[in-house]
Amino acid sequence: YDNGVWKPEGKRALRHAARKALDAKNYGKNVVTELETQALSDPQIELTGEDFGLEPGFVAVENGLLDLSAAADRGDALRDLEPEDYALTRLPVEYDPDAAYDEWNAYVEEWTEDGKADALQEYVGYCLHTGALPIHRALLLVGSGANGKSTFLDGVRALLGSENTSSIGLQ
């Protein structure tokens, strides 16, 4: 558990802790194997892959755990992120319910064909959905150069974090 997020580095952390606690003479693979066996046999710490990940409708952000439904209703949407939330990712942004989005909105309107801005905004919002994905979609940005495609993607990457995004050229 590191900075609000669980990482799949338990065995590595165990090896480093054992190596630090024991000198090189007493440290070996058998020590790590024994420690792994003991850790896995403790019923209080037994978790499976299904235990990890946030419930749908919740997103971990820099300043806590965001309830997207409460945020849409302008309610109390943020609370502290706890280890028991089992978040696997955290967006590199802070939630601010009073933040203005007029500039972003204007750019999206400028970049899209008439009537398509809402669909593009909805797609970005859909990227915040975790858990089961009821709508399977991909986004293909088409157009000549210098029309905002890269700027749009840069904005999405800034929101989601580069480690949570990928993009592939059509070629």
Side-chain angles (χ1 to χ4, degrees):
Y1 183 76
D2 181 31
N3 193 28
V5 178
W6 287 91
K7 301 192 180 208
E9 299 170 356
K11 287 184 181 183
R12 182 173 176 242
L14 187 63
R15 285 194 308 267
H16 285 223
R19 178 67 174 93
K20 187 175 180 181
L22 303 170
D23 59 35
K25 216 181 333 180
N26 296 320
Y27 174 80
K29 186 176 180 178
N30 57 335
V31 171
V32 175
T33 302
E34 181 62 30
L35 289 172
E36 285 178 10
T37 301
Q38 288 182 27
L40 290 171
S41 66
D42 187 343
Q44 292 181 347
I45 61 171
E46 186 176 333
L47 296 171
T48 65
E50 292 90 35
D51 295 321
F52 289 93
L54 296 171
E55 293 292 321
F58 290 89
V59 177
V61 293
E62 287 295 321
N63 54 340
L65 183 67
L66 177 62
D67 180 339
L68 295 173
S69 294
D73 296 335
R74 293 285 183 183
D76 188 19
L78 194 65
R79 69 165 174 79
D80 289 339
L81 183 62
E82 302 291 337
E84 296 78 28
D85 294 319
Y86 299 119
L88 295 173
T89 60
R90 188 177 209 170
L91 302 186
V93 295
E94 288 192 8
Y95 171 69
D96 179 0
D98 300 320
Y101 58 91
D102 296 337
E103 188 175 351
W104 172 259
N105 231 16
Y107 282 131
V108 172
E109 289 287 343
E110 177 186 325
W111 295 328
T112 58
E113 297 174 6
D114 291 340
K116 302 290 185 186
D118 286 347
L120 195 58
Q121 293 278 41
E122 185 177 343
Y123 188 87
V124 174
Y126 185 65
C127 292
L128 299 176
H129 187 78
T130 59
L133 297 175
I135 304 170
H136 301 275
R137 296 289 181 264
L139 179 64
L140 179 64
L141 301 176
V142 180
S144 60
N147 62 0
K149 295 185 305 289
S150 293
T151 306
F152 169 76
L153 290 175
D154 289 345
V156 173
R157 280 190 198 97
L159 169 67
L160 300 177
S162 60
E163 67 278 356
N164 299 320
T165 63
S166 66
S167 56
I168 302 168
L170 189 56
Q171 300 82 314

